[in-house]
Amino acid sequence: MDKDKPILAIVVPCYNEAEVLRQTTERLLAVLGDMEDVEGRILYVNDGSEDATWDLIGRLHAEDKRILGISLAANSGHQSALMAGLATAMPFSDFIVTIDADLQDDETVIKDMMQLAMKGNDIVYGVRSSRASDTWFKRTTAQMFYRLMAWMGVKTVYNHADFRLMSRRAVQALLCYEERNLFLRGIVPMLGYRSSQVEYARKKRRAGESKYPLGKMVGFAFDGITSFSMKLVHMVLWMGIVFLLTALGIALWVFVCIAQQKTITGWASLMLSVWLCSGCVLIGIGIVGEYVGKIYMEVKHRPRYNIKDERL
Ligand code: UDP
Ligand code: MG
């Protein structure tokens, strides 16, 4: 092993990817072979696959010692599999790239990512310049997702999924975010390290099927929003205020009706109590929500800061 060369590990989460893994390995090895100034590793994370994925990883490891693998005891989800891979690769890697097993993301830009990393970027995001290969449905729902996230005030990189390069210190910082509801695309920009982007056209899945059906995607989006944004709670509070203002409007209208002697028996008391009570209840929930939200942010134990440079 050449000590001077930085070690680049490519972390690949795999859930039932036996069909595509051999092709993936060939292509990733080709990319690594193309980069003479780094020492490459591939780390497969078997995320509780039910097919032959883990056996195949074992065989690939026997064929080439640059190929490593860990196997999670149960299916823990894409984000947790990524975290497991990052935590495992961090001690022996200088840089880590995460990429999906189906290679929908263009693996050849890893070389550009590495160049940007050598120029001092701790994080390099892979950004999809075109999604022409995705189905209309996937494309539209994904765009809606990014817009919704932005509107909810969650800082994410537009059109970036989990294809990115991170330096060891960025991964070290990331591992200090111990939250269970992992939404890496929200946490990584929070780290604050210098970052850059490379663009690529997203390709079609090479083999097998998407492991992200609509239900899982919606769950993922909801996780992302509720892990980073208090906007939903604020919305409840504002709704309560709107209800109270409506009650005030109705009260004024009641006075007008009384003045014109056009009253309907029971109307004012009914309407006023409905709007007033609903408003009070919503404001109450909103206030409780603010406190629960604060507790929620506290229990995450997120680091308050990350140190970038030192002159000690
Ligand atoms: N994946 C995983 N665990 C899961 C679901 C998916 O490790 O529970 C992996 C999967 O093997 C793939 C990546 O996450 O490498 C992205 O999944 P997929 O390509 O199916 O998602 P899509 O590209 O359709 O959004
Ligand atoms: Mg995919």
Side-chain angles (χ1 to χ4, degrees):
M1 197 168 86
D2 192 340
K3 270 271 164 245
D4 301 333
K5 286 187 185 178
I7 296 180
L8 169 69
I10 304 179
V11 167
V12 189
C14 309
Y15 177 55
N16 294 342
E17 300 284 11
E19 271 177 78
V20 76
L21 219 53
R22 207 162 258 286
Q23 263 191 68
T24 305
T25 309
E26 274 164 28
R27 298 182 66 95
L28 290 179
L29 285 177
V31 167
L32 289 177
D34 234 20
M35 293 191 283
E36 278 140 21
D37 41 1
V38 295
E39 176 91 25
R41 302 273 183 279
I42 300 173
L43 174 66
Y44 287 120
V45 182
N46 173 35
D47 184 18
S49 302
E50 290 111 33
D51 68 354
T53 300
W54 184 235
D55 294 339
L56 184 55
I57 294 171
R59 255 177 283 143
L60 292 167
H61 173 69
E63 286 164 24
D64 190 328
K65 289 295 169 221
R66 287 176 296 174
I67 300 168
L68 314 167
I70 54 170
S71 186
L72 307 185
N75 178 241
S76 311
H78 182 207
Q79 303 287 297
S80 299
L82 282 172
M83 260 326 219
L86 289 171
T88 308
M90 195 266 288
F92 63 81
S93 317
D94 297 297
F95 299 96
I96 305 180
V97 169
T98 50
I99 190 167
D100 289 351
D102 54 4
L103 295 191
Q104 283 191 281
D105 307 312
D106 186 357
E107 72 286 351
T108 56
V109 303
I110 292 178
K111 210 172 160 178
D112 306 329
M113 287 180 159
M114 202 51 215
Q115 264 166 13
L116 285 165
M118 293 310 245
K119 283 186 192 146
N121 291 291
D122 282 272
I123 302 164
V124 186
Y125 299 102
V127 174
R128 295 162 183 174
S129 56
S130 125
R131 301 184 73 114
S133 66
D134 276 341
T135 59
W136 175 87
F137 182 74
K138 180 94 188 177
R139 211 163 50 227
T140 321
T141 47
Q143 301 290 354
M144 268 164 57
F145 168 66
Y146 291 113
R147 295 238 163 81
L148 185 69
M149 292 302 272
W151 185 70
M152 284 283 175
V154 186
K155 213 171 121 194
T156 52
V157 178
Y158 193 69
N159 260 342
H160 158 72
D162 285 303
F163 179 32
R164 73 178 82 81
L165 176 145
M166 297 177 81
S167 66
R168 180 196 285 145
R169 70 169 179 180
V171 174
Q172 245 163 354
L174 176 69
L175 293 175
C176 296
Y177 289 72
E178 293 173 345
E179 53 211 81
R180 307 294 113 169
N181 286 302
L182 264 183
F183 186 72
L184 289 172
R185 286 168 222 187
I187 304 176
V188 175
M190 271 169 77
L191 298 177
Y193 286 120
R194 195 170 138 191
S195 68
S196 182
Q197 305 186 349
V198 289
E199 289 199 354
Y200 64 93
R202 183 164 156 96
K203 294 180 282 187
K204 271 203 180 336
R205 197 175 225 287
R206 301 217 140 239
E209 284 169 2
S210 171
K211 310 296 181 296
Y212 265 103
L214 182 65
K216 229 176 181 178
M217 238 160 61
V218 171
F220 185 56
F222 196 67
D223 236 21
I225 291 163
T226 50
S227 295
F228 287 88
S229 173
M230 291 280 292
K231 205 148 184 168
L232 289 176
V233 175
H234 295 320
M235 272 160 66
V236 174
L237 199 60
W238 279 109
M239 230 162 81
I241 292 170
V242 169
F243 271 50
L244 278 193
L245 289 177
T246 311
L248 194 73
I250 293 173
L252 291 176
W253 177 244
V254 168
F255 282 122
V256 173
C257 288
I258 290 171
Q260 294 177 350
Q261 293 182 335
K262 281 190 202 155
T263 54
I264 305 167
T265 320
W267 190 87
S269 52
L270 200 67
M271 287 302 269
L272 275 176
S273 45
V274 166
W275 285 88
L276 207 64
C277 287
S278 309
C280 289
V281 168
L282 283 173
I283 286 178
I285 294 174
I287 290 171
V288 173
E290 291 289 332
Y291 284 103
V292 174
K294 291 243 154 64
I295 299 169
Y296 176 55
M297 291 301 163
E298 289 291 333
V299 296
K300 278 178 190 282
H301 286 296
R302 281 181 178 162
R304 295 203 182 88
Y305 52 80
N306 294 308
I307 294 174
K308 191 162 131 196
D309 274 318
E310 280 168 350
R311 301 276 185 282
L312 297 175

